[in-house]
Amino acid sequence: MHITTHIILILALLVIAVQCPGAGGGRGGGSSSSGSSSSSSSSSRGRRSGSGGFGPFCFSIKCGLFLFLLTIFVIGFWVIVIICLLVLCWIKCTSGIPSQMNENFIEQGSVKDYNYEESPFKTGVWSLLYHQYNNWHGPYQILLTFDHSSGKVTGRGTDDVGNFTMDGIFSSRTLRIALKQKYEVGTGDPTENRGHKSTIQLNWVSNKNRFEGTWYIQTLKYRDNGYFQLEFDATSVPLLNTSNE
């Protein structure tokens, strides 16, 4: 910021130096110099008014090549600054927000190289892994229940932030899941758990036999998104069958 201020001051001094008229003569020729200077200044202003100038800036080559190029540079500099500020503002405002609503997300996309003999939407224990703060978190175990008649999924679990519940929707046609995760206040890490909500949108990756996608969080103090992975824990099936008997 200090460098930018110095550059602006230097440019302003250069503009003033170019615009500043020459010094007057000594006391001996004061009267004639004054009249000559007045006449010269008047004619100079007359020439300047028709040369494309505006204040210290010049928008025409008639003002002189240096002043014209200096004006273009100053204007271009501020245009770039304004564009950068707008881009940063847009990134900050949209960070943590998915580009699609969950209902639209699960209905889009196509399925390739998938074995339709077995649905990937299985009720049981799933393993989740996510990336945040340049670190991997997990895996953590969660219990998900899929209702194929309604296309809804519910679940619960615990991670390094705290206890949470999940509810969402899925599509057997596009093999996509969209979840809403809600943390329970007073559990886990008090510096991270604010009882906030996050959105998770996942696609089925058949060659890896798991769901992959992105998590999104936007609160008053924090906005971000990152990678999220969900994989079925096959070892949980015997345990679930035993508990149901």
Side-chain angles (χ1 to χ4, degrees), residues 133 160-161 187-196 221-222:
Y133 305 134
D160 53 347
V161 176
T187 63
D189 186 351
T191 62
E192 292 290 335
N193 187 356
R194 302 295 182 180
H196 58 278
K221 296 183 178 180
Y222 180 74

Side-chain angles (χ1 to χ4, degrees), residues 39-226:
S39 174
S40 175
S41 176
S42 176
S43 61
S44 175
R45 285 194 298 269
R47 290 194 303 269
R48 184 65 188 278
S49 62
S51 62
F54 181 77
F57 299 105
C58 175
F59 301 96
S60 172
I61 196 67
K62 295 179 181 179
C63 300
L65 180 61
F66 175 77
L67 187 58
F68 174 71
L69 293 178
L70 185 61
T71 300
I72 297 300
F73 175 80
V74 172
I75 294 175
F77 171 79
W78 282 111
V79 168
I80 293 174
V81 169
I82 293 173
I83 291 175
C84 290
L85 290 175
L86 291 175
V87 171
L88 290 175
C89 181
W90 180 82
I91 292 175
K92 184 175 182 180
C93 292
T94 58
S95 179
I97 301 178
S99 59
Q100 296 176 304
M101 297 181 63
N102 284 351
E103 293 77 7
N104 296 331
F105 172 79
I106 65 168
E107 294 301 328
Q108 297 185 10
S110 59
V111 180
K112 297 180 180 180
D113 302 326
Y114 170 65
N115 181 8
Y116 285 90
E117 295 179 357
E118 186 177 7
S119 172
F121 303 105
K122 303 174 183 178
T123 294
V125 177
W126 290 71
S127 176
L128 72 84
L129 182 73
Y130 69 94
H131 191 263
Q132 186 181 26
Y133 305 134
N134 296 321
N135 289 313
W136 291 101
H137 301 260
Y140 301 103
Q141 306 301 311
I142 62 173
L143 177 63
L144 293 178
T145 302
F146 291 90
D147 186 343
H148 291 268
S149 60
S150 63
K152 295 183 178 181
V153 54
T154 57
R156 66 181 186 275
T158 302
D159 59 17
D160 53 347
V161 176
N163 299 340
F164 59 84
T165 58
M166 281 187 171
D167 65 88
I169 52 180
F170 66 95
S171 172
S172 299
R173 181 178 61 84
T174 62
L175 302 184
R176 288 188 167 193
I177 304 178
L179 300 167
K180 289 288 187 180
Q181 183 183 32
K182 175 70 170 63
Y183 283 96
E184 299 176 9
V185 179
T187 63
D189 186 351
T191 62
E192 292 290 335
N193 187 356
R194 302 295 182 180
H196 58 278
K197 296 180 180 180
S198 64
T199 300
I200 303 169
Q201 296 181 344
L202 306 171
N203 301 286
W204 175 251
V205 182
S206 58
N207 60 339
K208 297 180 180 179
N209 203 36
R210 68 190 182 200
F211 288 95
E212 294 181 356
T214 308
W215 58 263
Y216 303 88
I217 295 178
Q218 185 179 65
T219 65
L220 293 177
K221 296 183 178 180
Y222 180 74
R223 301 179 181 187
D224 204 358
N225 57 268

